[in-house]
Amino acid sequence: RRIMLISLTEKGKAVKQIADDNSGMLDDFSKEELRDFNKYLTQLCEAYNKKIKEIATPEDEAKFDEFYQRIEKMREKMGDEELRKFMQNNSPFGPMFHRPF
């Protein structure tokens, strides 16, 4: 059994820092552009959800439901902003609020 350790390069760390600090990234968009952007993201999420549901087993759905319930309990205790910061700092993919099931 082997273990592979993976770490970011200095350039990767710099990119991650930019990705983590996304405050103000949408400031230059108009309300209409943000509305359209949200619409497209919603459509994209729905398309992914449809594909995921095609391959997900009931066990997968149950595990995700359990995870989502834990996240919601954390949100109740921490509040939206603190949970967002926590998820951003502890997830390799940024905030994890997407729920496919």
Side-chain angles (χ1 to χ4, degrees):
R1 299 190 181 222
R2 297 174 188 238
I3 296 174
M4 184 181 296
L5 299 175
I6 300 172
S7 61
L8 291 174
T9 63
E10 290 304 314
K11 187 174 182 179
K13 289 176 184 176
V15 169
K16 183 177 183 325
Q17 184 176 2
I18 292 168
D20 286 349
D21 181 20
N22 55 19
S23 59
M25 296 298 273
L26 301 176
D27 290 350
D28 293 335
F29 289 90
S30 69
K31 287 183 180 183
E32 294 80 20
E33 290 170 327
L34 289 173
R35 185 194 67 236
D36 290 344
F37 183 62
N38 184 52
K39 176 184 166 190
Y40 299 138
L41 284 178
T42 299
Q43 288 175 332
L44 183 61
C45 286
E46 288 171 359
Y48 274 109
N49 288 346
K50 184 177 179 183
K51 291 288 185 186
I52 291 169
K53 286 181 181 182
E54 291 173 3
I55 63 168
T57 66
E59 292 82 15
D60 295 330
E61 292 186 36
K63 286 178 185 176
F64 193 86
D65 285 342
E66 179 184 335
F67 170 77
Y68 187 75
Q69 288 170 3
R70 281 194 264 152
I71 295 297
E72 285 304 309
K73 286 180 184 176
M74 288 172 66
R75 184 190 313 273
E76 289 172 14
K77 289 181 181 178
M78 300 171 79
D80 286 340
E81 184 60 21
E82 286 301 313
L83 178 62
R84 184 193 64 75
K85 288 178 187 176
F86 173 81
M87 295 301 286
Q88 188 171 13
N89 292 331
N90 293 289
S91 168
F93 307 109
M96 297 174 52
F97 295 113
H98 179 67
R99 184 168 195 252
F101 304 111

